Every structure is written in C-alpha cells, then in structure tokens.
Amino acid sequence: MSTPSSLRRTIASATLVAVGALASCEGDPRPYGNHDLALLTSYAAKEMCSCVFVMKKDEPFCLRFTRANPNIRTVRVNYEGRFVDAFAALAWGARARFISQREGCRLEQ
Amino acid sequence: MSLRTKITLAAIVAMIPTTASAQSACPAGVTYPDATWPSRAQEVATQRAAEIAALEQFAFTLTGEDEERRGVRTDSVVIVHRGAIIYERYARSWTAEQPHYAWSVTKSVMNVLAGIAVARGYLTIDDSICRWMPFLPMDRCAIRVRNALEFSTGLDWRETYENASNQESSVLAMLYGEGRSDAARFVATHPFRDAPGTTYMYSSGDSNILSRAVERAYAAGGEDADYPWRRLFEPLGITSATLERDATGTIIGSSWWYATPKDMARFGYFLLRDGCWRDGRILPERWVSDSTAVNPAIRMRRLDADADDVQGRQFWLNKPIPEQNVTTPWMGVPEDAFAARGHWGQSITVIPSRDLVIVRTADDRQTGAFNFARFVSLAMEVAR
C-alpha cells in the first residue's frame, strides 16, 4: 500500500515520464539528452585539453578561448597527468585526456 | 511509393558492389616543397607593399577588447604562389609552430582520405554504408558512401552550433553529448528526413559516417589507425597533424583536425596539384575535379538556404547552380576556386587558374563580421 509521500513520488515520476514522452513525439525537435551543463563541461574539458596539449597555447589564452555561455564552469589542467577536468554547479563534470600528439585529446566516459 | 519502400529498395540496390579506380599522369613542370617551403616573401613584400597593406588592414585589424570577441580575428595567413610562400603572418599570440584547430576543414581531409582508399582499392563511393557499419538496420543500407560525401544521406540532422538551442543541435549532441562515444552510430541511427541522394543538407554527421566507412575500409585493407599519416601526411611532409577520435577510435572527420598553417598549405598545394606529390599520383584521376563539381543532390534540392553554401564533396565551391538560381557566391574570385572551410573563419582556398593556395586561421566569433570573398580577392592581389 502506498504512503502519501510515496504516492506523491509516483505521481511526480509518472508526470515526468508523460512529459518526456510528449517531448519526444515525432515532428518535435529531436529530443537530445543534452543537458546544458553536461554539454558545457564536456566542451570545456575537451577544448581546453586540445588548446593546452595539442595547440600548445597557455592556460590564460585557453580559458578565454573556451569561454562559453553561461560562463559558470571551473577548469583544472593537470599537466603531469595530461588531462583536464571541468566542473559546473557541483553536480556536473567531465574529463578529457591527452592521448598523443597524433590522437590529441579524448573525452572520458 | 512510400518513403520507407523507396529506401528499402534503394538499400537492396546499394548492397551490390561496384568498383572504381584509375591512374594518370601528374602535372608536369611543377615543384613540391621539401621539409620547408621555399619562400619569396621578402621579394614580394617589396614588390607588393600596397597590396599587402590592404590585405593586412582588412584581415589583421582588431575590433574592441579580446573578450568581446567582435569583428575579424585572424590568427594567421599563409599564401603560396607557384610553389613558394609569398606571404605569411601570425597574430593574436599564434606562432608558425603551433597547430591550429581547423573545425570543418577536417571534412576536406576526410574526402582526401576517402579518395586514397578508393585509389588503393579499399573502398568505392557506391558502397553501402552497411558494408562498413554492419550493425545498422536494413533501411540504413540505402545510404552509400557517395551520399555521405555529398551531404545527401537524407538523415534528419540539425547543423546548428553554439548560437542556437543546445537541445536541438545535432552537432553538439554528437561532439559533446550523447553521441560523443560513437559519433558514426549516433548519426546513422537518426530518422530519415528524405530518401538518400534526393536532397542536400550540410551535415557534420554525414562526415562522420564517411569517417567510419573510411576507417573500416583501411582496416579491411590491413592498415592500422596510423593510415592518415602513412598515406597522406607523411608523403606530403605534414609533421604537425593531429586527428582526434571518439571512444571507438573513429576520427571525428567533421571537426577535429589540427595542423600548422604551413602544413595546411601543403594540403591545399596537394589539391592544387590534382592529388599528386613528388613521387606521383596519390589520389585517383578526376578525384579532385569530381569533388569540386557541384554535387548532384544540391542540384536536385537543397535544404540549406545560405546562398554561400555551394558544395561539391566536402569542399566549398565558387560555382553557380542555375537550377537553383544561385550565382557564384564569391564575388571577384575565379570560378575554379574551391575551399576547405571551417567554423570561426578557417579556410584553405585553392585557385588553380592562379596557381595559388591561401590559408587563413582565425577565431571569428561574430557572425557576418568576416567577408570571405573580400579576403580572397585581397590575397589574390598580393599574388598578382
């Protein structure tokens, strides 16, 4: 038997599923699972990595180069490990790792 | 007949293999650069001072503060005329030694890697993509390599970038979102908008289908992942190239080539010489001319409204499309000019009738601030 709080959660979940299903109807813009902050951190990590390790530009240049809208990400370059972490709003993050000069950088999964 | 039936019939036909390849003589009496480019820059600086000043006024004059990202923001210009550098300049902290991003210029590199695969007998442009992506459902088999080259796969793709809705951008989803681990699979599983080969729409997605097909073709030919260096970059003396890949190891053939401007000029010079280099022909005969003719799909129906968007096979052209009432888009530039072009102002322009290659790298973030035809015209004056 459902408690009032679990019932509310069930109703909320069903509503989200319904909204999601409506949003993915044919004819609508393709409903990519792009969360803005996920895109933002992936973009920042990958492009910062390529900027520093492939193009060999300095960090201040690369921070300006990878600035995006909204500009709320934090980027950390690890020169020893040759990777870049990008974070936004605590919960979102991405890492791009430099593979080699030929293969450049790659986002980690 | 329904779209589904048409696509299924086309898929069956596309699975029938064909062959193509040819060899012919290369341009005679031309020179190729050694490890370094020959230079006539000093001589030309004296002879063409006024023309160079006009070019620099246009290309290198900055507007506002750097963080405003306004106006024309050129990082480098390299001009090669009759086999020698006649002008080069670097700006905004860039140097000759630093590889620069190329964005969609990469698509033209993929075209050439595909051409070399054809020359070596690994691939035909009439291959169904299912030959190289066997995991795809049957209806996708109607897409041929040719369709990927000509942006006519018919897949429902939205080629928008940072200035549109993130949720609607197929490109952002492919590069940084749900498609990032396997770009080609992500693209190829989009729904059909039209039957393959019947409409043209510029698509970075199509370039990554091409990339997967090319990569698998080289692999089937016994070549490892270094094939771009072995077959293209090393023969041309390009030492700075980076080609970034997704998690499957497939090159992001739409976007992620990096090279120094002078190495980009080698790529342009290779195209100027019809796909030949010192040791002989690398691309099949007619590959460059076929790739720089207006593609058939664009003549039938083009879904891109941009008047500047005249495409061959992963190259931008200065040719009219009478069927579409489109005149030559680059005013003042010869009709035989073609270019590899990328986001934010990257370009490698080849003008065979002038024996000329013009490279520009840039960071133009303000839409419409840079006039490509004007730039090419001014660079042509330096080489006059």
Side-chain angles (χ1 to χ4, degrees), chain A residues 89-106:
Chain A
L90 299 174
W92 301 95
R95 172 173 290 180
R97 187 176 292 280
F98 178 74
I99 309 294
S100 67
Q101 193 57 43
R102 287 190 172 187
E103 296 200 16
C105 291
R106 195 174 302 170

Side-chain angles (χ1 to χ4, degrees), chain B residues 48 165 234 353 372 383:
Chain B
R48 296 271 177 261
S165 162
E234 287 170 0
S353 58
F372 176 72

Side-chain angles (χ1 to χ4, degrees), chain B residues 176-234:
Chain B
Y176 308 109
E178 62 187 89
R180 73 192 206 194
S181 59
D182 188 344
R185 182 188 293 264
F186 171 75
V187 176
T189 52
H190 274 62
F192 276 109
R193 180 197 61 240
D194 300 294
T198 61
T199 56
Y200 161 87
M201 194 180 76
Y202 184 81
S203 164
S204 291
D206 287 2
S207 301
N208 284 320
I209 289 179
L210 175 66
S211 178
R212 174 66 66 85
V214 167
E215 177 223 320
R216 292 299 144 98
Y218 278 95
E223 303 223 16
D224 65 18
D226 270 349
Y227 69 86
W229 283 266
R230 186 180 312 110
R231 299 299 175 199
L232 176 63
F233 299 139
E234 287 170 0

Side-chain angles (χ1 to χ4, degrees), chain B residues 32-201:
Chain B
Y32 294 90
D34 294 319
T36 56
W37 278 101
S39 178
R40 291 192 287 113
Q42 277 195 320
E43 170 195 335
V44 172
T46 308
Q47 293 171 347
R48 296 271 177 261
E51 289 82 357
I52 288 172
L55 173 68
E56 294 188 338
Q57 169 73 23
F58 175 80
F60 288 102
T61 302
L62 295 172
T63 305
E65 298 298 317
D66 184 57
E67 56 266 27
E68 294 176 74
R69 294 174 165 177
R70 288 197 292 128
V72 173
R73 291 152 51 95
T74 303
D75 294 335
S76 75
V77 173
V78 173
I79 304 175
V80 173
H81 187 218
R82 295 178 186 149
I85 287 180
I86 61 162
Y87 176 83
E88 66 177 309
R89 179 171 165 178
Y90 304 86
R92 294 185 356 97
S93 84
W94 288 89
T95 68
E97 290 72 36
Q98 288 170 323
H100 198 282
Y101 50 90
W103 287 123
S104 291
V105 167
T106 312
K107 293 176 171 71
S108 305
V109 175
M110 281 315 306
N111 163 296
V112 165
L113 290 171
I116 298 170
V118 169
R120 302 190 70 78
Y122 300 155
L123 179 79
T124 84
I125 64 170
D126 287 317
D127 285 348
S128 164
I129 63 166
C130 291
R131 182 179 176 197
W132 307 110
M133 301 170 74
F135 54 84
L136 291 174
M138 183 62 186
D139 65 342
R140 310 289 134 157
C141 301
I143 302 172
R144 299 167 186 261
V145 170
R146 173 193 300 278
N147 302 135
L149 276 164
E150 295 175 354
F151 299 121
S152 65
T153 61
L155 295 169
D156 188 11
W157 185 258
R158 288 160 202 266
E159 186 77 14
T160 57
Y161 309 103
E162 67 273 21
N163 295 325
S165 162
N166 289 343
Q167 306 312 317
E168 293 182 30
S169 170
S170 306
V171 181
L172 294 181
M174 175 182 69
L175 296 179
Y176 308 109
E178 62 187 89
R180 73 192 206 194
S181 59
D182 188 344
R185 182 188 293 264
F186 171 75
V187 176
T189 52
H190 274 62
F192 276 109
R193 180 197 61 240
D194 300 294
T198 61
T199 56
Y200 161 87
M201 194 180 76

